[in-house]
Structures are given as structure tokens and as C-alpha cells.
Amino acid sequence: MWKKCQTDTLSLKYAKKCMTEVSVINSRESAEEKTRSGKKRTRNGVTTTDLIFSAYVSINAEVFPKVLALHVPKGSKVADVTFGKGIFWTKVPKDHYDLFPSDIKSGTDCRNLPYVDGSIDCVVLDPPYMEGFYRRKGTELAGSGTHQSFRSTYSNGEHTSTGPLKYHRQVVSFYVDAGKEAYRVLKTDGIFIVKCQDEVSSNTQNLTHVELIGKYESQGFYTKDLFVVVRSNKPSISRVIKQEHARKNHSYFLVFKKKER
């Protein structure tokens, strides 16, 4: 019928007749649906701009509570396995979650956690995401000079062992191994929150967040959400001769859900 209505050869009178018939059919179907349900269909909810968004010009301590609020119910058992100085948690009320903090400085490797299988509701992972923290000698680690505070926050000042791998592959390997352990200790439908940043290593662009999504999904995780955190200040670098890549001024919170294999 619609095909006939849309042809240029039909008269305006016939076209109007088609429209009338379609309108009657739609009204009849709507009435039948109302009769079946016994009540008129209504849309719930309210119009609002008070929402959690996917990108913020902010700091980790401001964005992390929003990630938790959207994806981790209050009262959940949360294992922050790279707790460090607890920067993520500075704006999270202490009574909201049952927090289990640990890191390499406290003697707990996030690749070998002291929890039984399927016992944790949420795992938070924020390891060193620069290949400079995986160099074989402690004297060659990134984070010297003006970046010393960065090293003290994200590293224990020692080489992070990932076997024979080098450079960016070391970074990804560490994340992958930590993800396997997170999958083990998480309950089904448990949440895995991962902080990461893309990097240029050996003059090669590495989209770390894309790599990790592929790796974790192959382990049995579902990629549920992604948050972008953009620095409010401008990063700088010394001794630039020619810039080859855009300077990274953003990082990610990736949110995964454990699925049954």
C-alpha cells in the first residue's frame, strides 16, 4: 500500500485515502495494546542534566567516586590492589564500601592476590602505565628529577618484573597478568575498574586502552564503560627537537564486568 502511495503517478485524493487507512490501522493497534495491558503505556523518569558523563577535565580523585557511584553498589567488597597513597579514595566516604587496600609496598603483588576465588565484588587496578617503570635497572626508571613525586605514587622505586619482555610489551603483559588474577577473585558480574593511559614508546604510538579492552575481553570480561580524565594543566617536556605525536594529556578509567566463561 505504501509503495502505491509513494509513486508520483497517484492522485492526491488516493494518497490521502492511503494515509487515512494507515492512521486507522495504527489507532486500532494502539487501542488493542492498551486493552491487552489494561492500562495506558507511560514513560517513567524525569528530565534532568544531573548525570554522570564519560569525560571530565578533572583529577582522578574527583572522577573515581563517579565511577563507583554508577557501577559499584554501596556495601560492596572492593579490593584496590594498587592502593599506593589512596589518592582515588580521598573523596569516597569511608562507610560506603568494604575496602581491602593492598600494593607491592605492603607485600602484595596484584598478580598473586590473597583472596579466594569469587569472593570480591570489585577490583581496582592502577599499576605503572609507562614503560619507563619497567626498565631492568632501578637507576634507569622513569620518574626522576621533577617527576620524582610521580614515581613515589606509582612505583616502589624498583624494577617491575615481567619476564623477558621489553618496553611497551612489558606494560601490557603486567596488565594482562593482573587481569587474570582479578577475574579469579571476582564474583560473577563483579566489576573490574582499570586505570590506564596510552603512550608513545620507542617512537611508536601505543593505544594502550584499546589493547587492554581486547585482552580483557578474551579473558572473559565485558567492557561496560569508559571514562576519560583530561588534565587541567598543560604537560611539558624538555629538549624537544621535533614533535612527532600529540602529547598525552588524558587517561582512562575502563570498567569491565566479569562474565561466566
Side-chain angles (χ1 to χ4, degrees):
M1 181 181 294
W2 274 107
K3 186 175 180 181
K4 292 181 180 179
C5 290
Q6 293 172 338
T7 58
D8 295 334
T9 57
L10 286 176
S11 66
L12 178 60
K13 181 178 179 181
Y14 186 79
K16 287 183 177 180
K17 181 180 178 182
C18 289
M19 294 294 292
T20 301
E21 290 178 354
V22 171
S23 178
V24 170
I25 292 172
N26 289 340
S27 297
R28 186 182 300 127
E29 291 177 346
S30 178
E32 291 175 352
E33 184 175 354
K34 180 180 178 181
T35 300
R36 287 194 299 269
S37 64
K39 59 181 179 180
K40 185 178 179 180
R41 293 181 63 189
T42 59
R43 294 182 179 179
N44 298 322
V46 295
T47 301
T48 181
T49 57
D50 184 19
L51 302 167
I52 294 175
F53 297 97
S54 61
Y56 293 91
V57 179
S58 189
I59 58 177
N60 293 330
E62 296 284 352
V63 178
F64 182 66
K66 301 179 189 296
V67 180
L68 291 176
L70 191 59
H71 295 292
V72 184
K74 293 180 181 178
S76 296
K77 290 184 178 180
V78 181
D80 187 335
V81 299
T82 47
F83 186 76
K85 295 185 177 181
I87 293 175
F88 286 0
W89 297 90
T90 55
K91 294 184 180 296
V92 179
K94 293 183 179 181
D95 61 345
H96 280 194
Y97 299 98
D98 189 6
L99 178 61
F100 295 85
S102 64
D103 53 40
I104 195 65
K105 288 183 179 180
S106 66
T108 301
D109 191 323
C110 61
R111 297 167 294 181
N112 184 24
L113 297 172
Y115 311 121
V116 300
D117 297 0
S119 60
I120 302 296
D121 297 304
C122 173
V123 172
V124 179
L125 176 69
D126 178 31
Y129 47 76
M130 297 167 57
E131 61 89 7
F133 285 119
Y134 295 80
R135 293 171 186 165
R136 298 183 183 280
K137 295 181 180 180
T139 56
E140 298 176 353
L141 292 178
S144 59
T146 58
H147 294 85
Q148 186 64 43
S149 61
F150 190 82
R151 180 191 292 190
S152 66
T153 299
Y154 289 97
S155 170
N156 64 351
E158 299 178 4
H159 165 62
T160 302
S161 175
T162 54
L165 299 177
K166 298 175 64 176
Y167 308 121
H168 179 70
R169 288 185 296 171
Q170 289 182 300
V171 179
V172 175
S173 175
F174 189 92
Y175 272 98
V176 169
D177 290 343
K180 292 177 182 177
E181 186 68 347
Y183 190 95
R184 180 186 69 79
V185 303
L186 279 170
K187 299 176 182 178
T188 300
D189 294 329
I191 296 297
F192 184 31
I193 300 173
V194 179
K195 186 75 192 322
C196 68
Q197 182 174 320
D198 302 334
E199 69 168 347
V200 174
S201 175
S202 300
N203 203 35
T204 301
Q205 182 73 261
N206 296 281
L207 300 180
T208 307
H209 78 284
V210 176
E211 295 180 69
L212 294 182
I213 287 172
K215 297 289 187 182
Y216 288 148
E217 289 195 344
S218 69
Q219 290 178 358
F221 286 104
Y222 156 65
T223 307
K224 189 179 181 185
D225 218 337
L226 177 151
F227 295 79
V228 181
V229 183
V230 181
R231 290 176 55 169
S232 58
N233 60 336
K234 292 184 178 180
S236 62
I237 189 171
S238 61
R239 299 189 299 275
V240 173
I241 298 176
K242 180 183 178 182
Q243 184 173 356
E244 299 288 346
H245 303 90
R247 182 67 174 171
K248 302 291 185 294
N249 69 331
H250 69 285
S251 56
Y252 303 91
F253 280 107
L254 306 179
V255 181
F256 301 91
K257 177 186 280 189
K258 176 180 175 178
K259 302 186 298 183
E260 284 285 11
R261 286 174 175 161

